[in-house]
Amino acid sequence: MSEISRRAFLNLVKKGLAVTGLTAMFGSIVAFFYPPKLEETPSEPVLVCKEEELPVNESKTVRFGRYPALVINTPEGLRAYSAVCTHFACVCKWEADKGQIACPCHDGFFDPLDGHVLAGPPPAPLDSIAVNIVNGEIYVGGEA
Protein backbone atom coordinates (compact mmCIF):
# COMPACT_ATOMS: atom_id res chain seq x y z
CA MET A 1 0.00 0.00 0.00
CA SER A 2 1.47 3.33 -1.02
CA GLU A 3 1.57 6.17 1.42
CA ILE A 4 0.16 9.54 0.51
CA SER A 5 2.12 12.63 1.40
CA ARG A 6 0.70 15.36 3.57
CA ARG A 7 0.82 17.80 0.65
CA ALA A 8 -1.09 15.42 -1.65
CA PHE A 9 -3.73 14.82 1.06
CA LEU A 10 -4.23 18.57 1.59
CA ASN A 11 -4.55 19.09 -2.17
CA LEU A 12 -7.26 16.40 -2.29
CA VAL A 13 -9.10 18.07 0.60
CA LYS A 14 -8.83 21.47 -1.15
CA LYS A 15 -10.24 20.07 -4.38
CA GLY A 16 -13.06 18.33 -2.51
CA LEU A 17 -14.01 21.55 -0.72
CA ALA A 18 -13.86 23.50 -3.99
CA VAL A 19 -16.18 21.02 -5.72
CA THR A 20 -18.58 21.06 -2.75
CA GLY A 21 -18.64 24.89 -2.68
CA LEU A 22 -19.19 25.21 -6.43
CA THR A 23 -21.97 22.62 -6.33
CA ALA A 24 -23.72 24.49 -3.52
CA MET A 25 -23.36 27.82 -5.34
CA PHE A 26 -24.53 26.61 -8.75
CA GLY A 27 -27.26 24.48 -7.20
CA SER A 28 -28.70 27.59 -5.56
CA ILE A 29 -28.59 29.48 -8.86
CA VAL A 30 -30.38 26.67 -10.68
CA ALA A 31 -33.00 26.47 -7.90
CA PHE A 32 -33.57 30.23 -8.21
CA PHE A 33 -34.35 29.99 -11.93
CA TYR A 34 -36.49 26.85 -11.58
CA PRO A 35 -38.54 27.33 -8.38
CA PRO A 36 -41.08 24.72 -7.28
CA LYS A 37 -44.67 25.28 -8.37
CA LEU A 38 -46.55 27.05 -5.56
CA GLU A 39 -50.27 27.35 -6.21
CA GLU A 40 -51.86 30.43 -4.71
CA THR A 41 -55.25 28.76 -5.05
CA PRO A 42 -55.90 25.08 -5.70
CA SER A 43 -56.97 24.01 -9.17
CA GLU A 44 -59.46 21.48 -7.78
CA PRO A 45 -62.42 22.26 -5.47
CA VAL A 46 -61.74 21.88 -1.73
CA LEU A 47 -64.17 20.06 0.56
CA VAL A 48 -65.45 22.22 3.43
CA CYS A 49 -67.91 19.90 5.19
CA LYS A 50 -71.31 18.26 4.80
CA GLU A 51 -74.18 20.67 4.28
CA GLU A 52 -75.84 19.82 7.62
CA GLU A 53 -72.59 20.50 9.52
CA LEU A 54 -72.74 24.24 8.71
CA PRO A 55 -76.00 25.71 10.09
CA VAL A 56 -77.24 29.19 9.20
CA ASN A 57 -75.21 32.03 10.75
CA GLU A 58 -72.18 29.77 11.31
CA SER A 59 -68.83 29.70 9.54
CA LYS A 60 -65.94 27.41 8.85
CA THR A 61 -62.35 28.26 7.97
CA VAL A 62 -60.56 25.82 5.65
CA ARG A 63 -57.16 25.61 3.99
CA PHE A 64 -57.46 26.87 0.41
CA GLY A 65 -54.09 26.72 -1.30
CA ARG A 66 -51.52 28.83 0.51
CA TYR A 67 -54.16 30.82 2.39
CA PRO A 68 -57.32 30.02 4.37
CA ALA A 69 -60.86 30.48 3.08
CA LEU A 70 -63.79 31.60 5.22
CA VAL A 71 -67.12 29.92 4.38
CA ILE A 72 -70.25 31.49 5.92
CA ASN A 73 -73.80 30.17 5.82
CA THR A 74 -75.77 33.43 5.79
CA PRO A 75 -79.60 33.55 5.76
CA GLU A 76 -79.24 34.53 2.06
CA GLY A 77 -77.10 31.47 1.28
CA LEU A 78 -73.51 30.24 1.37
CA ARG A 79 -70.69 32.73 0.83
CA ALA A 80 -66.93 32.14 0.73
CA TYR A 81 -64.04 34.61 0.81
CA SER A 82 -60.33 34.60 1.21
CA ALA A 83 -59.83 34.88 4.96
CA VAL A 84 -56.81 37.14 4.45
CA CYS A 85 -57.51 40.81 5.20
CA THR A 86 -56.69 43.19 2.36
CA HIS A 87 -55.11 45.65 4.79
CA PHE A 88 -52.34 43.76 6.53
CA ALA A 89 -52.87 40.06 5.67
CA CYS A 90 -54.27 39.06 9.05
CA VAL A 91 -56.74 36.15 9.12
CA CYS A 92 -60.33 37.38 9.40
CA LYS A 93 -63.01 35.74 11.55
CA TRP A 94 -66.79 35.56 11.36
CA GLU A 95 -68.59 37.42 14.17
CA ALA A 96 -72.04 35.81 14.20
CA ASP A 97 -73.40 38.08 16.95
CA LYS A 98 -72.59 41.21 14.90
CA GLY A 99 -73.26 39.65 11.49
CA GLN A 100 -69.96 40.74 10.00
CA ILE A 101 -66.49 39.50 9.11
CA ALA A 102 -63.85 41.06 11.37
CA CYS A 103 -60.11 41.49 11.06
CA PRO A 104 -58.71 41.37 14.61
CA CYS A 105 -55.48 43.23 13.79
CA HIS A 106 -56.72 46.75 13.03
CA ASP A 107 -60.52 46.64 13.43
CA GLY A 108 -61.38 46.09 9.79
CA PHE A 109 -64.92 44.89 9.11
CA PHE A 110 -66.43 43.33 5.98
CA ASP A 111 -69.96 42.61 4.78
CA PRO A 112 -70.71 38.86 4.69
CA LEU A 113 -72.95 39.14 1.61
CA ASP A 114 -70.43 40.61 -0.85
CA GLY A 115 -67.18 41.10 1.10
CA HIS A 116 -67.07 44.91 0.80
CA VAL A 117 -65.45 46.98 3.53
CA LEU A 118 -67.84 48.20 6.22
CA ALA A 119 -65.31 50.00 8.41
CA GLY A 120 -61.63 50.26 9.21
CA PRO A 121 -58.45 50.55 7.19
CA PRO A 122 -58.78 47.72 4.60
CA PRO A 123 -58.36 49.29 1.14
CA ALA A 124 -60.32 46.65 -0.81
CA PRO A 125 -63.04 44.03 -0.32
CA LEU A 126 -62.25 40.40 0.47
CA ASP A 127 -61.65 38.15 -2.54
CA SER A 128 -64.74 36.08 -3.25
CA ILE A 129 -64.45 32.31 -3.81
CA ALA A 130 -66.98 30.13 -5.63
CA VAL A 131 -69.11 27.84 -3.43
CA ASN A 132 -70.79 24.67 -4.70
CA ILE A 133 -72.87 21.94 -3.10
CA VAL A 134 -72.30 18.49 -4.58
CA ASN A 135 -74.12 15.44 -3.17
CA GLY A 136 -74.80 17.24 0.11
CA GLU A 137 -71.18 18.39 0.57
CA ILE A 138 -69.95 21.99 0.43
CA TYR A 139 -66.94 22.73 -1.79
CA VAL A 140 -65.04 25.96 -2.41
CA GLY A 141 -63.13 26.80 -5.55
CA GLY A 142 -63.47 25.35 -9.00
CA GLU A 143 -66.21 26.50 -11.35
CA ALA A 144 -68.93 28.82 -10.05
Side-chain angles (χ1 to χ4, degrees):
M1 177 176 222
S2 67
E3 289 189 27
I4 186 167
S5 70
R6 187 181 312 194
R7 183 174 300 236
F9 174 75
L10 290 175
N11 281 335
L12 282 174
V13 170
K14 257 193 327 189
K15 288 177 184 175
L17 290 174
V19 167
T20 302
L22 289 172
T23 302
M25 185 174 71
F26 286 117
S28 298
I29 291 170
V30 169
F32 176 79
F33 287 109
Y34 298 100
K37 184 178 178 185
L38 296 175
E39 287 187 323
E40 290 290 318
T41 58
S43 55
E44 297 294 320
V46 174
L47 175 65
V48 176
C49 64
K50 293 183 185 272
E51 206 172 354
E52 63 269 6
E53 293 175 7
L54 191 62
V56 174
N57 210 27
E58 293 293 321
S59 74
K60 190 163 185 97
T61 302
V62 295
R63 178 182 293 271
F64 188 70
R66 293 180 66 188
Y67 304 105
L70 181 63
V71 183
I72 307 165
N73 192 356
T74 68
E76 290 80 11
L78 290 168
R79 303 287 195 269
Y81 303 99
S82 168
V84 177
C85 180
T86 57
H87 173 239
F88 203 58
C90 294
V91 176
C92 296
K93 305 287 184 204
W94 169 241
E95 291 185 342
D97 56 331
K98 296 180 183 174
Q100 61 190 8
I101 301 167
C103 174
C105 295
H106 300 107
D107 290 328
F109 298 96
F110 300 90
D111 188 305
L113 298 180
D114 61 6
H116 79 268
V117 179
L118 295 173
L126 293 174
D127 293 331
S128 182
I129 301 172
V131 181
N132 295 303
I133 298 174
V134 178
N135 297 328
E137 295 179 325
I138 302 169
Y139 288 88
V140 291
E143 296 297 318

